Amino acid sequence: MQSHIYDTIVIGAGGMGSATAYHLAKSGADVLVLEQFQRGHTFGSSHGETRIIRFFYDKPFYTELMKTAYAEWRDLEAVSGKRLLFITGSVSLGKSGNQYTTAVRQSLDAAGVASEWWDAKQLTERFSQFRVSNDMDILWQKDTGFLYASECVLTHLQLAEQHGTEIQEKTPVGRIDWQADVPTVYTEDNQFRGKKVVVTAGAWTTSLLKELNLPLTVTKQQVCYYIPTIAAERFLPNQFPVFTEITTDNEFMYGIPFFHKKGVKVARHGMGQTVSPNACNRTPDSDYIERMDTYLSERIPELGNTVHAEVCLYTETPDEDFIIDAHPHCPNIFIAAGFSGHGFKFCSLVGRIMSELALAGETAFDINPFRINR
Ligand SMILES: Cc1cc2nc3c(=O)[nH]c(=O)nc-3n(C[C@H](O)[C@H](O)[C@H](O)COP(=O)(O)OP(=O)(O)OC[C@H]3O[C@@H](n4cnc5c(N)ncnc54)[C@H](O)[C@@H]3O)c2cc1C
């Protein structure tokens, strides 16, 4: 066992762990990050180029927290000199009077975030790519956009390293001894001690914290990419918005403009098959691709058919709200997990919260909705 005791050991260098390491290191903490694969790997939840960032939520506490999350992303752009956040505006579509869009509007109003109801004519005048009927709710929100996700993770890690953080890749943690005087983390060849340990292990959280029996389910998720053969520039971020739709079958569809060479990304949130993160079939399913192509043939026919598809993992809680809390049996271990397919936009804030919890034992942000025993 090493005699050195780190201020904080962070387990997992995905979206949440990288942001946590950055915030800790920026505050002067002596940090060790342990990652089972290499940075930027594609086996977890944070790979790929884009993730939607939005204020609009049907639960008001998320909308409120996004005010700080946006500010932290802007701050990261300023500190790194990189463009990470692309604002496009968004349209949220749904059947007229649907509960979700109505609740979203209420959340935005309560938080003082402007939005506008549009009719079908207003939508197609502004974005003629869409085919919509007159009986749809269409909510425009100008601050929505997307994050350059893979670059966000790398940037947080690079900046953490510049502040002295040690990052060990290809170093899986086998177990954490939470009963030791100083929490001790065991890898294949080593043991590391940290005054505090932050677990940001995504889909592998339950296997690392077996003693807690956390209510987490890992599911296989898929995204499709589209490259229109004619006038593809009409789908660039300055000409096409982020969109979401609650379909009549209660599917939550979303799309992100053409970014880099990959194309327009379109996917269905959730409804994925339960899998084990180490034994997930990473081949996209043909019936899923077919469903997405059929959906788009009605909504945005210019996109044509899928040219490429990818697999990613969600780690879901029963209510789809995050877990951000101290370990119930050990006040020196903190957990950030269960981001249920909508966590990336919050990485910048969750990193700050986890660093405050690790360094001060408390945070001014309201994490009550995210307590383990809620
Ligand atoms: C298809 C898809 C689309 C999404 N779209 C959006 C979106 O548009 N907007 C949005 O806000 N969110 C979105 N999300 C959700 C968001 O990407 C996730 O909530 C977020 O990336 C979760 O980050 P994480 O750090 O918890 O997990 P991960 O990024 O998976 O990180 C966990 C890390 O821990 C490491 N690890 C695990 N166990 C160990 C161990 N024992 N030892 C060492 N290392 C370990 C893993 O290797 C991994 O690197 C999407 C997710 C998917 C899959």
Side-chain angles (χ1 to χ4, degrees):
M1 173 166 344
Q2 293 194 346
S3 57
H4 183 73
I5 300 181
Y6 292 91
D7 288 333
T8 308
I9 299 175
V10 178
I11 304 176
M16 301 299 165
S18 61
T20 302
Y22 166 65
H23 281 276
L24 283 164
K26 195 172 73 150
S27 305
D30 170 25
V31 184
L32 170 67
V33 178
L34 298 171
E35 165 56 49
Q36 63 182 344
F37 304 121
Q38 281 173 292
R39 69 185 75 190
H41 69 86
T42 58
F43 305 111
S45 304
S46 300
H47 57 281
E49 295 206 312
T50 55
R51 293 289 187 278
I52 295 174
I53 178 165
R54 58 182 160 100
F55 278 115
F56 69 85
Y57 262 94
D58 56 346
K59 295 179 180 172
F61 52 87
Y62 285 115
T63 302
E64 206 50 54
L65 288 173
M66 276 312 298
K67 291 177 182 171
T68 314
Y70 267 102
E72 288 292 347
W73 287 118
R74 290 282 186 215
D75 200 52
L76 185 68
E77 287 191 312
V79 171
S80 65
K82 292 181 189 171
R83 180 139 188 233
L84 302 169
L85 175 52
F86 296 77
I87 300 298
T88 60
S90 61
V91 287
S92 302
L93 313 173
K95 201 168 153 255
S96 178
N98 80 83
Q99 259 185 350
Y100 174 78
T101 327
T102 308
V104 159
R105 174 66 185 233
Q106 283 165 357
S107 277
L108 291 170
D109 286 352
V113 178
S115 62
E116 290 171 29
W117 289 118
W118 283 359
D119 59 24
K121 187 163 166 278
Q122 280 170 293
L123 173 64
T124 47
E125 271 172 10
R126 177 82 180 265
F127 300 113
S128 59
Q129 299 92 332
F130 290 91
R131 301 279 176 280
V132 286
S133 56
N134 287 326
D135 64 346
M136 291 181 86
D137 278 350
I138 302 164
L139 190 66
W140 164 252
Q141 210 297 306
K142 68 177 175 48
D143 305 296
T144 306
F146 61 88
L147 290 156
Y148 184 2
S150 48
E151 194 60 35
C152 291
V153 176
L154 295 180
T155 302
H156 272 137
L157 291 175
Q158 277 160 6
L159 292 175
E161 276 177 322
Q162 283 170 23
H163 285 285
T165 289
E166 184 184 335
I167 302 175
Q168 293 200 16
E169 299 174 53
K170 297 186 185 168
T171 310
V173 171
R175 73 181 179 94
I176 309 167
D177 183 355
W178 51 270
Q179 287 163 312
D181 294 342
V182 177
T184 306
V185 170
Y186 290 78
T187 62
E188 204 173 308
D189 310 320
N190 233 322
Q191 300 167 27
F192 300 97
R193 291 187 295 165
K195 290 179 201 156
K196 302 286 155 65
V197 172
V198 176
V199 180
T200 47
W204 292 265
T205 304
T206 37
S207 54
L208 206 51
L209 297 169
K210 288 194 188 76
E211 69 278 9
L212 296 184
N213 211 6
L214 292 170
L216 297 174
T217 306
V218 177
T219 60
K220 174 178 176 178
Q221 301 294 325
Q222 308 174 62
V223 298
C224 296
Y225 290 90
Y226 296 84
I227 301 187
T229 44
I230 302 167
E233 69 281 0
R234 278 164 43 73
F235 291 89
L236 289 171
N238 59 353
Q239 296 186 51
F240 187 67
V242 162
F243 70 91
T244 65
E245 174 167 358
I246 304 283
T247 67
T248 45
D249 291 331
N250 233 12
E251 301 158 299
F252 187 103
M253 306 296 202
Y254 62 88
I256 302 179
F258 205 128
F259 186 59
H260 291 167
K261 292 201 167 89
K262 270 203 157 163
V264 180
K265 174 169 149 182
V266 183
R268 183 178 64 196
H269 167 74
M271 303 172 80
Q273 179 197 348
T274 300
V275 293
S276 145
N278 293 332
C280 173
N281 173 357
R282 306 268 167 177
T283 308
D285 302 327
S286 55
D287 56 345
Y288 177 86
I289 294 174
E290 209 174 295
R291 170 66 194 122
M292 300 315 296
D293 291 357
T294 306
Y295 163 69
L296 286 174
S297 68
E298 288 171 25
R299 188 63 69 234
I300 313 173
E302 281 173 62
L303 285 180
N305 288 331
T306 297
V307 291
H308 172 68
E310 286 170 357
V311 168
C312 185
L313 301 176
Y314 277 5
T315 308
E316 303 180 34
T317 61
D319 57 9
E320 294 192 17
D321 294 331
F322 312 152
I323 289 178
I324 298 177
D325 207 349
H327 188 297
H329 314 315
C330 178
N332 295 324
I333 299 179
F334 297 93
I335 305 158
F339 289 95
S340 303
H342 62 106
F344 200 90
K345 65 183 83 53
F346 291 97
C347 289
S348 58
L349 172 62
V350 172
R352 179 168 156 189
I353 291 174
M354 299 318 286
S355 127
E356 290 173 359
L357 289 174
L359 297 178
E362 57 184 11
T363 175
F365 293 96
D366 180 11
I367 55 170
N368 284 320
F370 311 130
R371 296 282 183 199
I372 292 173
N373 64 358
R374 61 180 175 264

